[in-house]
Amino acid sequence: MKKILVIGHSDIRNTYGASTSIRTHLNLMGDTNLGFYHICQKSIVRGYRKESEPFIRFKFKEMWVPFDQDIIKDKNQGFLANLIGVWVPNLMYSLTRYKIKNEVENYRPEVIHLNSIVLIRLANFLWRPWSKIIIHVREIISSDKKDLFLKYIDIIDLFICIDASVRDSLIRSFPSIESSKVIVIKNPFLIGFNQDEHLRKLFAGDGIKFAVVGGIYPAKGVEFICRYFLDCQNMNIKLYIVGKINRLAKKIKNKYKSQKIIWLDEVDEFSARGGFMNIDILARGESEFCTGRSTYEALESGCYVIQPGTIKDLERDPELSVYSNQINFYEPRSGVSFVQAISDTLDRLKFSPKRLEVKHTSLNKYKNQIMCVYQSLI
């Protein structure tokens, strides 16, 4: 049996994007003719609750792996976040790195699949003549210190980007990468169409429900969304913030106190448990066009999305263009444009009050695409 080693930069039981994606990825691969083994990041703080555990149906091991945050544009903010998520893992990796090398030597995989560009230095450290190396690019690349990583680029056999904007940032930062080595495969999404009773109660009440879903940090623009959401005169709308109540969240919450904004804290497996079936419109507030997990989860659940960007961005992203009738764009970080997008989307809802029906095919499509990738390399 051909063997695939998948290495992740976060605890596999975490509730956020990359961990959710790789759980889904490995569960989908469980009935294939390939052998899979997963190494995930050790953590000094457990960032998960029991809801995540039934979603793990594969063998994994915790080890210290590096986290090169200089290669990504949106870095961790704050001392504690850096200490737990970056500095401690990098220190422990430097002290124990030969353990992971021995693990690879013993397992002898045909393919090493790195689940994030922040693991890029492992490409050089773990390279062996018998292994091909894939790196999953999930983040917008920073060009500030890209020269530090040039020496690793040629070692990598294939870059899998999660969307067109990520692909474009990779190619801009490293123009020497051969185009044949860069592909786009949209993340796999678990959509729960049977609503979880607990989540249904959290969203109980009348009115049009907007939501921001995911981690709360400056690049996400949560403060921007809250500020200009309150400029909307419509009293029949509410904004739900679904994300961990950290220091920044508390600051925003205290600054924009209103009955129109409801803070729900972090919700494990929000999409898989039918969370998006309770909302009408997802709002994203980044400073530039980019798509993420919550965008596609919302779209595939039949929601509308208010997204920074333009129609030209949509035209460059064939995966997203399928959902063009569900998206309203606004000029990034323009309050006037954002409020207009809210108004335009509410007008759409007047003419289409029923939840949009979406043919959910992303899991099978993702599985077939990834299997083709693996088979081409082995």
Side-chain angles (χ1 to χ4, degrees):
M1 177 182 286
K2 302 295 184 180
K3 292 181 286 188
I4 314 293
L5 173 63
V6 181
I7 303 178
H9 64 300
S10 58
D11 190 319
I12 192 63
R13 292 155 293 199
N14 276 354
T15 60
Y16 288 124
S19 295
T20 301
S21 292
I22 207 61
R23 279 199 300 273
T24 306
H25 174 104
L26 289 165
N27 286 333
L28 284 172
M29 298 295 119
D31 61 352
T32 67
N33 60 351
L34 300 175
F36 285 85
Y37 177 38
H38 178 54
I39 292 175
C40 71
Q41 179 72 279
K42 273 192 175 184
S43 178
I44 57 176
V45 175
R46 292 299 186 194
Y48 66 93
R49 293 190 283 271
K50 64 181 181 180
E51 285 87 347
S52 295
E53 293 177 357
F55 292 86
I56 301 173
R57 299 188 295 274
F58 48 83
K59 179 183 177 184
F60 72 93
K61 184 173 185 176
E62 296 173 276
M63 302 187 78
W64 292 109
V65 299
F67 193 110
D68 279 309
Q69 69 168 344
D70 284 335
I71 198 171
I72 59 178
K73 186 171 182 179
D74 298 325
K75 302 174 176 60
N76 285 333
Q77 303 293 321
F79 175 81
L80 189 60
N82 279 315
L83 177 67
I84 295 171
V86 180
W87 300 332
V88 168
N90 283 339
L91 173 62
M92 295 306 298
Y93 165 75
S94 67
L95 296 174
T96 63
R97 63 187 183 277
Y98 284 97
K99 289 185 177 181
I100 195 169
K101 177 172 275 191
N102 291 337
E103 198 76 16
V104 173
E105 294 279 1
N106 293 333
Y107 190 59
R108 291 183 69 88
E110 278 76 14
V111 175
I112 298 174
H113 187 161
L114 305 177
N115 194 40
S116 171
I117 194 92
V118 300
L119 297 171
I120 192 168
R121 79 170 87 164
L122 283 178
N124 182 55
F125 186 64
L126 298 180
W127 183 86
R128 289 295 180 272
W130 63 78
S131 292
K132 300 290 186 180
I133 296 180
I134 299 171
I135 196 156
H136 224 114
V137 190
R138 305 178 179 279
E139 307 86 355
I140 300 294
I141 307 300
S142 169
S143 59
D144 296 344
K145 297 183 179 180
K146 64 181 182 181
D147 292 347
L148 296 175
F149 305 98
L150 284 172
K151 60 185 177 182
Y152 304 125
I153 293 299
D154 291 339
I155 298 171
I156 298 164
D157 296 283
L158 189 69
F159 297 85
I160 301 177
C161 301
I162 62 168
D163 58 45
S165 58
V166 167
R167 177 200 61 204
D168 293 345
S169 78
L170 176 69
I171 293 172
R172 280 196 308 270
S173 300
F174 302 107
S176 63
I177 298 177
E178 298 173 24
S179 59
S180 61
K181 293 171 67 172
V182 181
I183 63 173
V184 175
I185 298 180
K186 188 174 69 173
N187 273 329
F189 304 111
L190 283 174
I191 309 297
F193 292 101
N194 297 318
Q195 298 181 48
D196 181 285
E197 186 60 31
H198 172 66
L199 294 184
R200 193 199 303 268
K201 291 179 181 178
L202 291 179
F203 289 91
D206 297 328
I208 305 300
K209 298 178 176 67
F210 289 71
V212 174
V213 179
I216 300 173
Y217 49 92
K220 288 287 189 178
V222 178
E223 181 170 1
F224 165 83
I225 291 173
C226 289
R227 176 184 175 183
Y228 289 103
F229 186 83
L230 294 180
D231 284 354
C232 296
Q233 300 303 311
N234 190 320
M235 299 305 296
N236 194 39
I237 60 176
K238 290 184 178 179
L239 174 64
Y240 292 80
I241 311 293
V242 185
K244 187 174 182 179
I245 306 298
N246 54 23
R247 183 180 298 178
L248 176 60
K250 291 176 182 177
K251 178 182 175 182
I252 299 170
K253 185 178 180 180
N254 289 331
K255 190 173 181 179
Y256 301 100
K257 292 182 178 179
S258 171
Q259 293 182 345
K260 291 172 67 175
I261 302 178
I262 300 167
W263 295 78
L264 295 185
D265 207 345
E266 192 172 63
V267 176
D268 290 304
E269 304 296 342
F270 182 76
S271 177
R273 293 166 61 196
F276 284 99
M277 301 301 292
N278 296 285
I279 69 172
D280 302 294
I281 302 165
L282 176 79
R284 294 189 66 104
E286 288 86 353
S287 61
E288 61 186 325
F289 169 76
C290 64
T291 52
R293 164 170 291 277
S294 63
T295 296
Y296 283 107
E297 288 172 336
L299 292 170
E300 294 201 12
S301 298
C303 301
Y304 288 95
V305 171
I306 295 176
Q307 169 89 33
T310 68
I311 294 297
K312 289 184 178 180
D313 292 315
L314 191 67
E315 293 170 351
R316 290 194 295 268
D317 192 336
E319 293 284 356
L320 193 64
S321 63
V322 175
Y323 306 97
S324 59
N325 65 324
Q326 295 171 247
I327 302 171
N328 269 331
F329 287 104
Y330 67 92
E331 183 182 342
R333 296 293 167 87
S334 166
V336 173
S337 182
F338 177 70
V339 172
Q340 184 61 51
I342 290 178
S343 177
D344 293 343
T345 308
L346 291 173
D347 286 343
R348 283 195 184 189
L349 277 173
K350 289 179 183 177
F351 294 103
S352 179
K354 293 183 179 179
R355 175 165 292 274
L356 297 171
E357 293 185 7
V358 179
K359 188 177 181 181
H360 181 57
T361 59
S362 70
L363 288 180
N364 288 335
K365 182 178 180 180
Y366 178 88
K367 181 177 181 179
N368 292 336
Q369 288 175 318
I370 289 294
M371 282 300 295
C372 286
V373 167
Y374 288 149
Q375 290 166 353
S376 71
L377 293 175
I378 59 179

